């Protein structure tokens, strides 16, 4: 283990308040982003690309299927550092129309013995104009990018569509896909928008404004039947894909002394719940829309399980905090091995393998 290994860095980061550690990591990434030579050196260490895991999606080349989940880069300030950490794509946001501070601190907790995270951030972000400024600076940087959008806390549910309209207009020509986030637990009433009428209205609106692929991100805290019905409604209304899942509010998952009964839990505690819901959606919707699986992914085996259940892409957030960027490399290298061991020539043959014989 080298002196500069993540396990050594983690010892320092874990002594800090979680949010301070996040800010420090962000500062590091922004600093490194200004040093192309350092970026290249680290990228050579962590970034894996092989034809067997490279895909064309939304007209873009994804050099590997492992992306960064939304919420880490809320303002689009770390995009150029993401390939360096090994990710094949990144999702920025959630961004709201106006800047907002988010919920009161402390609002981010490590559940260390559960390898999990609990957060009640509440869409703290600098707003759409700031993010657009960041994106303008990336004119020549060609990398798959999703923009995850949400309403401001002070916007009522009745006016929520206006916020999303503003965001569709703002981001209609940027990035490679847009994600409608109505599944975070930390904006009061947001998850109530996960209903048929709102889904139909918002995708109709999106269609009028943008030709970008628009995806829906859903919560894990609903029955399989409700989730499938919601996703089907979204796909019929024009969704280009489904991202499952966001964090859970099932606090019974842990007895951790650090547990708070607010916010959303992610990481290892979410793995099974997220997989089970994703699998149900995959059985129903694989082949009909693009599926992205996120929630407690911590190994190549777990990512492969999601792929076989129908995921074209996977995302990681919380386990990056525990394992560092070597995890992303480990997942990509492991995927190549698992695909080859099963005799697949390309990842596309394994996507939805659980259902292929049944359809
Ligand atoms: C601190 C934190 C902030 C997050 N913020 C957002 C967000 O702004 N928008 C969003 O769609 N998801 C957000 N998420 C959820 C993640 O994108 C992901 O769906 C969830 O954490 C499950 O994946 P994981 O177990 O790999 O973390 C956040 C997660 C964490 C831990």
């Amino acid at each position: 283990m080298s002196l500069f290994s993540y396990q050594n860095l983690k010892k320092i980061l874990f002594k800090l308040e979680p949010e301070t550690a996040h800010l420090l990591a962000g500062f590091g990434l922004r600093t490194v982003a200004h040093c192309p030579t350092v970026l290249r050196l680290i990228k050579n260490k962590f970034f894996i690309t092989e034809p067997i895991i490279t895909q064309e999606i939304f007209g873009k080349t994804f050099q590997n299927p492992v992306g960064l989940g939304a919420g880490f880069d809320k303002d689009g300030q770390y995009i150029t550092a993401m390939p360096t950490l090994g990710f094949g794509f990144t999702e920025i946001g959630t961004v709201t129309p106006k800047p907002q501070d988010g919920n009161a601190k402390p609002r981010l907790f490590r559940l260390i013995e559960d390898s999990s995270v609990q957060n009640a951030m509440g869409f703290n972000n600098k707003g759409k104009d700031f993010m657009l400024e960041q994106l303008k600076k990336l004119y020549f940087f060609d990398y798959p990018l999703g923009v995850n959008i949400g309403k401001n806390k002070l916007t009522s549910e009745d006016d929520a569509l206006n916020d999303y309209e503003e965001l569709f207009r703002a981001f209609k020509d940027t990035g490679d896909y847009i994600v409608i986030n109505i599944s975070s637990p930390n904006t009061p009433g947001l998850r109530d928008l996960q209903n048929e009428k709102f889904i139909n209205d918002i995708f109709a609106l999106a269609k009028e404004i943008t030709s970008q692929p628009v995806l829906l991100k859903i919560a894990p805290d609903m029955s399989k039947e409700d989730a499938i019905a919601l996703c089907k409604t979204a796909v019929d209304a024009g969704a280009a894909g489904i991202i499952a899942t966001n964090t859970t509010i099932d606090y019974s998952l842990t007895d951790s002394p650090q547990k708070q009964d607010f916010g959303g839990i992610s990481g290892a505690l979410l793995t099974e719940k997220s997989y089970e819901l994703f699998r149900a959606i995959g059985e129903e919707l694989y082949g009909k829309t693009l599926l992205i699986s996120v929630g407690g992914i911590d190994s190549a085996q777990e990512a492969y399980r999601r792929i076989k259940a129908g995921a074209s892409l996977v995302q990681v957030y919380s386990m990056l905090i525990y394992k560092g960027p070597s995890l992303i490399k480990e997942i990509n290298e492991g995927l190549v091995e698992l695909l080859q061991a099963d005799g697949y020539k390309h990842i596309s043959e394994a996507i939805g393998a659980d259902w292929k014989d049944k359809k």
Side-chain angles (χ1 to χ4, degrees):
M1 192 166 66
S2 88
L3 184 65
F4 298 107
S5 76
Y6 182 74
Q7 291 313 317
N8 278 334
L9 180 64
K10 191 174 134 185
K11 282 183 200 148
I12 302 168
L13 291 177
F14 273 39
K15 286 207 170 79
L16 304 171
E17 282 290 312
E19 209 168 327
T20 312
H22 179 92
L23 288 174
L24 192 67
F27 175 75
L29 290 174
R30 278 209 314 277
T31 310
V32 167
H34 290 113
C35 315
T37 315
V38 181
L39 277 184
R40 218 171 310 119
L41 281 175
I42 310 177
K43 185 179 173 193
N44 286 345
K45 188 168 151 69
F46 292 118
F47 190 78
I48 303 294
T49 180
E50 298 273 350
I52 194 171
I53 51 168
T54 300
Q55 302 176 80
E56 295 295 322
I57 295 174
F58 303 143
K60 192 88 176 182
T61 304
F62 286 62
Q63 288 189 271
N64 71 56
V66 185
L68 175 70
F72 181 85
D73 190 3
K74 287 184 185 278
D75 297 306
Q77 291 179 287
Y78 317 134
I79 299 168
T80 51
M82 287 310 140
T84 308
L85 297 186
F87 290 108
F89 67 107
T90 187
E91 189 172 307
I92 56 175
T94 296
V95 60
T96 55
K98 295 189 197 77
Q100 62 179 30
D101 291 338
N103 294 323
K105 294 177 189 170
R107 54 192 179 177
L108 183 59
F109 309 90
R110 300 183 192 100
L111 309 181
I112 293 178
E113 50 292 322
D114 292 324
S115 298
S116 295
V117 172
Q118 192 164 349
N119 95 84
M121 305 298 285
F123 296 167
N124 54 307
N125 78 105
K126 296 186 169 130
K128 70 172 194 330
D129 293 336
F130 181 88
M131 186 179 276
L132 281 168
E133 284 304 311
Q134 306 309 303
L135 294 176
K136 267 191 218 152
K137 292 183 207 161
L138 298 175
Y139 197 74
F140 293 109
F141 187 70
D142 191 24
Y143 185 64
L145 173 76
V147 181
N148 182 306
I149 60 172
K151 77 168 190 72
N152 276 114
K153 184 178 178 179
L154 293 180
T155 304
S156 70
E157 283 165 52
D158 289 344
D159 292 335
L161 265 188
N162 298 338
D163 273 16
Y164 288 96
E165 175 171 2
E166 219 178 309
L167 294 159
F168 288 138
R169 291 196 192 287
F171 295 104
K172 69 186 173 66
D173 298 320
T174 59
D176 300 294
Y177 67 89
I178 294 173
V179 183
I180 297 170
N181 181 7
I182 46 176
S183 52
S184 284
N186 302 315
T187 297
L190 189 75
R191 284 184 169 190
D192 297 341
L193 300 175
Q194 295 186 126
N195 67 66
E196 199 178 328
K197 180 173 181 328
F198 189 79
I199 298 284
N200 279 320
D201 289 350
I202 198 167
F203 279 100
L205 180 68
K207 236 183 282 176
E208 279 173 28
I209 299 172
T210 176
S211 53
Q212 287 272 58
V214 180
L215 286 71
L216 178 70
K217 182 166 180 180
I218 66 158
D221 302 305
M222 53 183 136
S223 69
K224 289 178 183 167
E225 295 70 31
D226 287 353
I228 290 167
L230 196 74
C231 294
K232 274 185 169 169
T233 302
V235 173
D236 291 345
I242 302 292
I243 304 185
T245 67
N246 215 310
T247 57
T248 178
I249 52 168
D250 182 355
Y251 307 121
S252 70
L253 287 172
T254 178
D255 293 323
S256 165
Q258 294 103 318
K259 177 179 94 161
Q260 318 284 325
D261 277 351
F262 64 90
I265 296 173
S266 53
L269 289 170
L270 179 60
T271 309
E272 242 8 80
K273 195 179 180 87
S274 180
Y275 170 71
E276 286 299 328
L277 196 70
F278 181 80
R279 186 176 164 81
I281 294 166
E283 180 163 22
E284 206 57 42
L285 285 179
Y286 156 71
K288 300 187 180 128
T289 194
L290 184 107
L291 300 174
I292 301 180
S293 188
V294 53
I297 295 177
D298 60 352
S299 66
Q301 285 76 8
E302 187 57 40
Y304 196 45
R305 202 161 69 124
R306 312 291 176 110
I307 288 167
K308 289 209 282 193
S312 294
L313 301 168
V314 297
Q315 292 176 324
V316 174
Y317 183 167
S318 299
M319 296 314 289
L320 182 71
I321 297 170
Y322 287 96
K323 296 193 169 178
S326 61
L327 171 65
I328 311 308
K329 181 183 182 180
E330 186 189 307
I331 294 178
N332 280 313
E333 282 181 340
L335 280 177
V336 172
E337 279 170 23
L338 289 163
L339 289 165
Q340 286 169 343
D342 281 346
Y344 294 120
K345 300 259 177 309
H346 189 255
I347 186 172
S348 54
E349 297 165 17
I351 295 167
D354 289 351
W355 321 119
K356 274 187 175 146
D357 293 340
K358 294 190 190 161
K359 293 206 175 181

